[in-house]
Amino acid sequence: MKRYLLILLAALASLAVCAALALAVIERPEARTDLPRVVAHSTEHAGAPHPITAVLLDFRSYDTLLEVAVLLVAVVVALALREAQPDGPDRMGLDNPLLRAVMSWLLPLMVLVAAYLLWAGSTRPGGAFQAAAVLAAAGVLLRLAGVRLGGFAGERGARRLRALLVLGPAVFVAVGAGTALGGRAFLDYPADWAGGLILAIELALTLSIALALLSLFRLAPPQSDVERLPERRRRTRE
Amino acid sequence: MSATVLATDALYAWVGVLLCGLGLFGFIIHRHLLRRLLAFNVMGSGSFLLLVGLAQDGRGIDPVPQALVLTGIVVAVASTALALVIFRRWHRVSGESTLPEDV
Amino acid sequence: MSALPANAFDLLLGLGLIACAAGALLSRELFRAIVMFIVFGLLMALAWVRLRAPDIALAEAAIGAGLTGVLLLDTLGYLRRRFERPRPSPPSAPAAHTSDKEQTRS
């Protein structure tokens, strides 16, 4: 009985939201400014000719900076929730020769695609986020195949990981502070440096975002599941 | 908007409206936290579609909402991953996959 | 700028999006719900292409369908593994076991 009441309530609530949004779609007010034209006009002076990259890293770079900060905060919370246990052998090692063989073909390709996306981002669809997503996917694949990323193991590795995680926001803030010290507004690049600065920021962002996504994935499993792996393998073979 | 034919962008804006409603419905009726996460993501996708579709309807490509949605997608995946980390931790501590207030 | 009229493909894609979302939200089995959600993400990538937003389509295909799917499936695998474990059982374990299982299913 109570369940039906809940469903009724949910249906009512979602209908109300639908109605409100539909009203917004039908009664859409006229735009006060023609944003596409403004963007098209000012893209000529921006550091990147591709309008979306220009919006992301030039006109609205505050948004992007804060977005990377959000990612960083997410990783920090995940790190804080991690259980104090030694980093055991990899839980997810599927240890399959076929997977490893495919990976040895796939990984260089994925890194290449990521580099291309990053580079193409200034003139064509692509950019730091897409490149970072592909890199993170490559890292997840590595992890599924049970390959450990040796550079990030142990005390020094953890420190290195944190440094790389902070690299993106740090470069971003440094550029912003640099422009502010140079007498311009925060993150307002000088015209002839804009291209280089944006590329530098994108490079740092790619590394940081990829590592952040990967470590959010890596931090999830509790380490004590390790000893259950052989038993699971036996079960899948049966 | 041209009167008789529905424009592509407007169509996707409408799909976004429906997805928002559907997501909210799922979010309310489910108690399992993973299902709530799915519903939340569906709702997010709906609002992204609505944002871009509505802005582009009858005006052509608009890079500003597209860039905002790009940012939003990355934030959405980060929050999903964080929610999963917290969910696992909660599950490990309590053995439950729902929150006690909801019972 | 004249608006492009929606064609049959758009309609089909819109319906597919809603159907997949409904499948992801209303399926009985959690595994099926997650798979439907991954399909939903892939269809979203197509929708972004139709909205002339190739940047978002790239990001959605890599993130929405790929990474989120892996994360969700990994969590599901984790839940299942926890329940299938032969517990070094304290006396009240069997009851807790079945009720937990119901919770992951429903």
Side-chain angles (χ1 to χ4, degrees):
Chain A
M1 195 60 219
K2 209 176 167 192
R3 177 93 185 139
Y4 284 119
L5 206 66
L6 185 70
I7 289 178
L8 189 70
L9 192 76
L12 277 180
S14 78
L15 274 182
V17 165
C18 273
L21 289 177
L23 202 68
V25 173
I26 295 167
E27 298 279 319
R28 185 186 65 168
E30 280 305 306
R32 296 228 191 92
T33 52
D34 191 358
L35 271 180
R37 185 165 302 158
V38 175
V39 170
H41 181 70
S42 30
T43 307
E44 293 162 20
H45 314 291
H50 184 52
I52 292 181
T53 309
V55 170
L56 271 178
L57 288 162
D58 203 335
F59 310 146
R60 298 198 62 102
S61 34
Y62 255 129
D63 286 358
T64 312
L65 175 60
L66 290 179
E67 174 212 353
V68 186
V70 166
L71 261 179
L72 198 63
V73 170
V75 177
V76 168
V77 174
L79 274 173
L81 282 175
R82 176 180 213 181
E83 291 170 59
Q85 278 171 358
D87 208 6
D90 209 304
R91 183 181 66 81
M92 304 195 69
L94 298 180
D95 204 19
N96 183 336
L98 191 63
L99 184 58
R100 292 203 173 213
V102 169
M103 291 245 320
S104 65
W105 284 88
L106 215 52
L107 267 185
L109 209 62
M110 288 179 93
V111 174
L112 191 67
V113 166
Y116 168 77
L117 281 175
L118 179 61
W119 182 250
S122 55
T123 53
R124 272 158 286 197
F129 300 119
Q130 291 89 340
V134 172
L135 269 188
V140 168
L141 256 183
L142 266 178
R143 176 127 178 107
L144 287 176
V147 182
R148 302 204 61 196
L149 295 172
F152 299 125
E155 184 72 18
R156 290 188 56 190
R159 217 173 298 146
R160 204 174 299 152
L161 177 70
R162 279 167 210 182
L164 278 175
L165 279 173
V166 175
L167 181 70
V171 167
F172 219 140
V173 170
V175 169
T179 56
L181 284 178
R184 310 173 71 92
F186 187 69
L187 284 174
D188 177 20
Y189 321 117
D192 32 341
W193 289 26
L197 285 180
I198 285 182
L199 198 62
I201 293 176
E202 277 201 298
L203 194 61
L205 280 187
T206 304
L207 281 177
S208 291
I209 296 175
L211 272 178
L213 290 176
L214 184 58
S215 39
L216 277 173
F217 178 67
R218 227 175 62 85
L219 287 173
Q223 310 292 337
S224 64
D225 274 347
V226 169
E227 66 271 20
R228 225 162 295 135
L229 188 62
E231 165 216 329
R232 193 169 110 226
R233 259 193 220 134
R234 182 169 43 77
R235 201 164 45 231
T236 47
R237 220 174 284 141
E238 281 164 10
Chain B
M1 189 162 60
S2 51
T4 48
V5 248
L6 189 62
T8 306
D9 301 296
L11 174 76
Y12 286 109
W14 282 110
V15 173
V17 169
L18 288 180
L19 286 182
C20 277
L22 207 58
L24 185 66
F25 180 74
F27 193 81
I28 296 178
I29 62 166
H30 286 304
R31 279 190 282 159
H32 194 289
L33 291 172
L34 268 187
R35 286 175 183 275
R36 286 205 159 169
L37 199 58
L38 287 184
F40 189 71
N41 269 309
V42 167
M43 231 162 119
S45 295
S47 62
F48 292 153
L49 272 184
L50 183 60
L51 190 62
V52 173
L54 198 54
Q56 291 192 353
D57 178 29
R59 289 191 199 134
I61 301 173
D62 191 344
V64 176
Q66 289 194 9
L68 290 184
V69 167
L70 199 52
T71 311
I73 287 177
V74 177
V75 171
V77 72
S79 55
T80 303
L82 182 61
L84 286 176
V85 170
I86 295 176
F87 169 67
R88 282 190 182 191
R89 183 82 170 133
W90 164 247
H91 190 77
R92 224 173 137 63
V93 172
S94 69
E96 303 272 330
S97 36
T98 54
L99 285 180
E101 290 95 327
D102 296 336
V103 174
Chain C
M1 287 259 176
S2 66
L4 292 162
N7 56 24
F9 179 74
D10 289 319
L11 269 180
L12 218 64
L13 188 55
L15 286 180
L17 274 172
I18 292 169
C20 280
L25 296 180
L26 304 176
S27 303
R28 285 205 94 73
E29 232 180 303
L30 199 50
F31 177 71
R32 180 181 298 184
I34 290 174
V35 169
M36 286 307 254
F37 183 73
I38 295 171
V39 176
F40 174 78
L42 285 173
L43 290 184
M44 278 295 286
L46 279 182
W48 291 123
V49 174
R50 290 297 300 165
L51 281 168
R52 290 155 291 160
D55 293 79
I56 312 181
L58 279 172
E60 180 82 45
I63 290 179
L67 278 177
T68 313
V70 172
L71 282 168
L72 288 168
L73 284 178
D74 185 42
T75 304
L76 184 67
Y78 165 73
L79 286 182
R80 291 218 173 133
R81 240 176 298 130
R82 269 183 72 99
F83 290 126
E84 283 170 12
R85 161 175 51 179
R87 291 193 180 181
S89 51
S92 69
H97 186 93
T98 48
S99 73
D100 279 357
K101 192 141 195 163
E102 267 166 22
Q103 271 162 359
T104 36
R105 288 288 156 120
S106 71

